[in-house]
Amino acid sequence: MLIPEVNVNPQTVANYVAARVAQEENKNHCALVVMAEGALLNMARQLAEEGQIQLPSGDQGESYWRRDARYEALSWMRQAVRRFLERDGRSRTQVVMSQPGYLVRAVPGCAEDQTYARRLADLAVDNALAGYTRFMISQWLTEYVLVPLGLIGRVKKRVPPQGIFWREVVASTRQPDLG
């Protein structure tokens, strides 16, 4: 799992993924890499600085630049993993990259999802009837709060790399230092 707050070396990531795929105890010879969009964009910038990839010019706008930069970084990662596996004698291994944001949302809802959605809807209606406008409902720790829409785009949500949450993720996935 890669997040933008933790700097990683792209070649180290590719080698680690390929080595995990090639391990004999990995009976299916597969691996899954989860990357936050920001981590992928950071990787694209780093690869461009090293001359490994060519980033788009950005003439078409920020969203096109981000899409093309992600594609270039993913293509580089696919090729790097494939090269590692070919050196290991596994030239027939297939490397697939996917950006399944829409697939995650396509999973049928469970009872918890329905309860959560109902709670958000009830709170939105209650607060709108109370006269509040231009807000969204969010959960902060154990409480639901109203967040003014003007504040939403100003602050990026960050994961502290030395915090307990990230350390739990790294420990549970047995992820080495990829820096």
Side-chain angles (χ1 to χ4, degrees), residues 106-170:
V107 174
C110 63
E112 288 175 355
D113 294 336
Q114 292 172 356
T115 301
Y116 182 63
R118 178 63 188 246
R119 186 169 296 141
L120 292 177
D122 288 346
L123 288 167
V125 169
D126 289 347
N127 285 287
L129 290 173
Y132 292 99
T133 59
R134 301 195 45 75
F135 68 91
M136 69 168 251
I137 307 289
S138 182
Q139 190 169 5
W140 180 261
L141 301 176
T142 60
E143 303 296 323
Y144 290 93
V145 296
L146 302 182
V147 181
L149 291 180
L151 294 178
I152 293 172
R154 287 190 203 163
V155 180
K156 275 187 159 181
K157 195 170 189 179
R158 298 245 177 237
V159 176
Q162 304 306 323
I164 188 71
F165 174 75
W166 182 245
R167 287 186 299 183
E168 286 178 2
V169 169
V170 170

Side-chain angles (χ1 to χ4, degrees), residues 62-93:
E62 178 69 15
S63 62
Y64 287 104
W65 183 89
R66 294 168 76 86
R67 182 200 64 199
D68 293 348
R70 286 193 312 259
Y71 175 79
E72 290 296 326
L74 284 173
S75 296
W76 180 90
M77 181 66 70
R78 179 186 304 117
Q79 292 303 320
V81 169
R82 190 173 285 141
R83 281 191 302 271
F84 184 99
L85 291 170
E86 286 172 357
R87 283 195 311 265
D88 195 42
R90 297 180 186 275
S91 59
R92 295 178 45 98
T93 303

Side-chain angles (χ1 to χ4, degrees), residues 2-10 35-50 53 55 65-66 69-70 73 156 158:
L2 304 174
I3 59 173
E5 292 84 357
V6 177
N7 291 324
V8 297
N9 179 311
M35 299 176 90
E37 179 183 354
L40 190 55
L41 292 173
N42 288 349
M43 186 177 285
R45 287 183 187 100
Q46 185 177 350
L47 289 167
E49 287 171 6
E50 296 171 359
I53 65 172
L55 286 182
W65 183 89
R66 294 168 76 86
R70 286 193 312 259
K156 275 187 159 181
R158 298 245 177 237

